[in-house]
Amino acid sequence: MRLAENPLARAALPFLVAAAAIAAGYALSVGLAGYFVYLGVSAVVAAIALLGLGVVTGTAGMISLCQLTFAAVGAFVVSACNVAGVPGGFVTWLLLGGLAAALAGVLVGLPALRLRGITLAVVTLGLAAAADLTLVQIQFPGATEGTSVERPDAFSDDRSYFLFAVLVLVACGLLVHFLRRGRWGSSWHLVAFSERGTAAVGAGVRTSKLTAFAVSAALGGISGGLLTGQVGLAFPASFTAIQSLALYVLAIMSGAHLIDMAVFGALLWVAVPELLKRWGVPQDWGFVVFGVLGVQALTGRGNLGTAVRNLWYRRGAPAGVGLATEVADVEPLPPGDPVLAVRGLSVSFGHVVALSDVDITVPEHGILGVIGPNGAGKSTLVDAISGFLPRADGTVTLGGRPLTGSPTRRARAGLRRTFQQDRVPPGLTVGAYVRFVARRRLTGGEVAEALEFFGCPAPRTPLSRVDAGARRLVEVVGHLLAKPRVLLLDEPAAGLPHEEHVAFGRRLRQVPARFGVSVLLIEHDLDLVRSVCDTLTVLDFGQVLASGPQADVLADPAVLKAYMGETELL
């Protein structure tokens, strides 16, 4: 059995890597001397700060140009605790500094709930500049008096303090690793790829962004506290806005969302200025070097970490759909009472009426098909039902109860949806994504069985290696395993080869009986609609043109006229 297929080996691997890192740190603490010990601690401090940037920027996809401001918060708290003689010693002060920085990260993250891109960059860079000016005026506690921060008793000399810094880095690396594998990490990946997709699975977009900022800031605060212990005093010159900007560029260039690349980036952070100094070049030119490399990474849509990894790992062909295998049919359940009822739904965009007084009913254990020409209002219907158009008029009830509020609230109430566009983040594995979307405890057997039923790749397959059609099916599987009352499928077969549509339809037909989920299906492929839906509703120009049993609806002259050129398909 390969290592990747052995659950015990996979669980032990992070701890084995951590042990190896500690052993390497111990060896370096014995071998390094003088100025090289100082450089080693500086590299460890930078690695922790880059780990934080990897969370908020590389994983959650937000711009933060004030990482060293959070480091300054941690340094300020450690210095203040030292001056005040707070019990617990340096380790406690370090944790308090990280906690204070996390709270500052939440405050800074609040604008990120509404701001994106260059606007968020300006806000965070402005904060860094303001903090820089403030620190110059007030100074850090104990700096004026020359009160040196007391290191831990067991790590008081420079060599042992380097080992202590390595231990802190390893602990931070393990924390980031397990957070990324958990629900928070999955939400960071998903919110970076699609905020609408995040809300549709019942995850809070606000929570996802704020937790990313909080974790990133906490790591920044810890790095600042470590730096204070290294030097003994904290100075504003260590936390300038230009250094924060350079650190962000280095995180982008190195690929700091990968833990090993964060360490590699930290080595560059220390090595480049040192090399420039040895060559007689002003060290400020290091910022120029990082800027050039960062621009290259941004324009090339890649980073050094990805390039290095591609040298070691050969990427195989994209994993596709495997629907050719026959599956045993299950006895369909008779349709029950209405589980989803839409009454008088109307949506207008200015003077344009997208939906007008639409009534739709999805029965328990049933599959309702909604069809219509392009521009008929089908996607608007799904957006309105799922809460993405909050100003829609009319009522929506689920299980007899009014369904209102945000998409997240509706998803948690038992209404899920998929999208026409790809909302599946490539940074996760198939299994991690399915478990996150399901938002409940699942056994490995449940996940594997559902994926196999729909012909999806194995759980350990990275989504970055899965083609578009298979990703659509993985999205469907995740929502079905959440056990919602109703699942709205917006063209789920898009991206599948035509020969796979019928096989997919046969499986979709069994969804109510196998998963206990009722379905509202929007689909252009009428062969798929015929094979799945007993009842249909036809929309045309935002109005219900026909509704009822499939045969009657498809034979309706008004439906044939609406489809015009598609008449021969009906």
Side-chain angles (χ1 to χ4, degrees), residues 213-461:
F213 258 103
V215 172
S216 174
L219 293 172
I222 290 172
S223 70
L226 274 179
L227 180 61
T228 305
Q230 174 192 19
V231 180
L233 297 172
F235 300 101
S238 302
F239 311 101
T240 62
I242 188 63
Q243 287 175 310
S244 283
L245 180 58
L247 197 68
Y248 168 80
V249 171
L250 185 60
I252 295 296
M253 182 271 293
S254 63
H257 61 288
L258 306 171
I259 295 175
D260 53 342
M261 289 299 112
V263 175
F264 179 72
L267 294 177
L268 290 179
W269 177 262
V270 172
V272 169
E274 284 300 312
L275 290 175
L276 292 176
K277 183 175 70 174
R278 289 178 180 273
W279 296 336
V281 179
Q283 289 181 303
D284 287 345
W285 279 93
F287 296 143
V288 177
V289 174
F290 295 145
V292 171
L293 294 176
V295 169
Q296 175 63 31
L298 291 171
T299 56
R301 295 183 178 274
N303 53 65
L304 189 59
T306 301
V308 170
R309 292 208 168 189
N310 286 341
L311 294 176
W312 293 95
Y313 301 106
R314 295 182 60 184
R315 298 177 63 86
V321 183
L323 288 172
T325 305
E326 293 295 323
V327 295
D329 291 333
V330 296
E331 189 69 24
L333 299 174
D337 296 331
V339 61
L340 178 69
V342 179
R343 295 289 180 262
L345 190 63
S346 299
V347 176
S348 297
F349 301 102
H351 296 292
V352 178
V353 178
L355 293 176
S356 177
D357 202 28
V358 172
D359 293 344
I360 282 180
T361 300
V362 178
E364 189 85 36
H365 309 138
I367 302 178
L368 170 68
V370 177
I371 63 174
N374 289 328
K378 301 184 297 297
S379 293
T380 302
L381 173 69
V382 175
D383 282 346
I385 294 174
S386 56
F388 285 97
L389 295 174
R391 296 184 179 180
D393 297 322
T395 61
V396 180
T397 59
L398 183 67
R401 296 182 176 182
L403 192 64
T404 59
S406 66
T408 298
R409 181 176 177 180
R410 299 189 188 204
R412 292 174 179 175
L415 180 75
R416 291 295 190 96
R417 66 160 296 181
T418 64
F419 295 85
Q420 288 185 18
Q421 301 82 12
D422 185 11
R423 306 285 179 177
V424 181
L428 298 174
T429 64
V430 171
Y433 172 77
V434 167
R435 289 179 183 277
F436 174 71
V437 173
R439 298 191 69 77
R440 66 185 185 89
R441 289 188 177 276
L442 295 169
T443 65
E446 287 179 287
V447 174
E449 182 181 357
L451 290 171
E452 183 179 0
F453 177 72
F454 278 98
C456 298
R460 296 288 300 173
T461 306

Side-chain angles (χ1 to χ4, degrees), residues 113 184 187-188 191 203-213 412:
L113 302 179
W184 278 12
S187 71
W188 298 337
V191 80
V205 174
R206 292 172 176 266
T207 302
S208 300
K209 289 185 173 184
L210 290 179
T211 53
F213 258 103
R412 292 174 179 175

Side-chain angles (χ1 to χ4, degrees), residues 456-480:
C456 298
R460 296 288 300 173
T461 306
L463 282 165
S464 58
R465 297 180 56 188
V466 176
D467 64 33
R471 286 199 302 271
R472 301 299 301 275
L473 296 188
V474 170
E475 182 183 17
V476 171
V477 170
H479 285 289
L480 287 176

Side-chain angles (χ1 to χ4, degrees), residues 75-148:
F76 196 95
V77 171
V78 169
S79 299
C81 290
N82 178 69
V83 171
V86 174
F90 185 79
V91 175
T92 300
W93 305 343
L94 198 62
L95 294 176
L96 290 175
L99 179 60
L103 295 176
V106 171
L107 295 177
V108 174
L110 290 175
L113 302 179
R114 294 186 178 274
L115 303 179
R116 297 175 181 83
I118 189 64
T119 308
L120 182 59
V122 170
V123 169
T124 55
L125 184 59
L127 174 67
D132 185 15
L133 293 175
T134 302
L135 289 173
V136 170
Q137 294 297 321
I138 66 173
Q139 295 297 321
F140 287 88
T144 305
E145 300 82 1
T147 306
S148 181

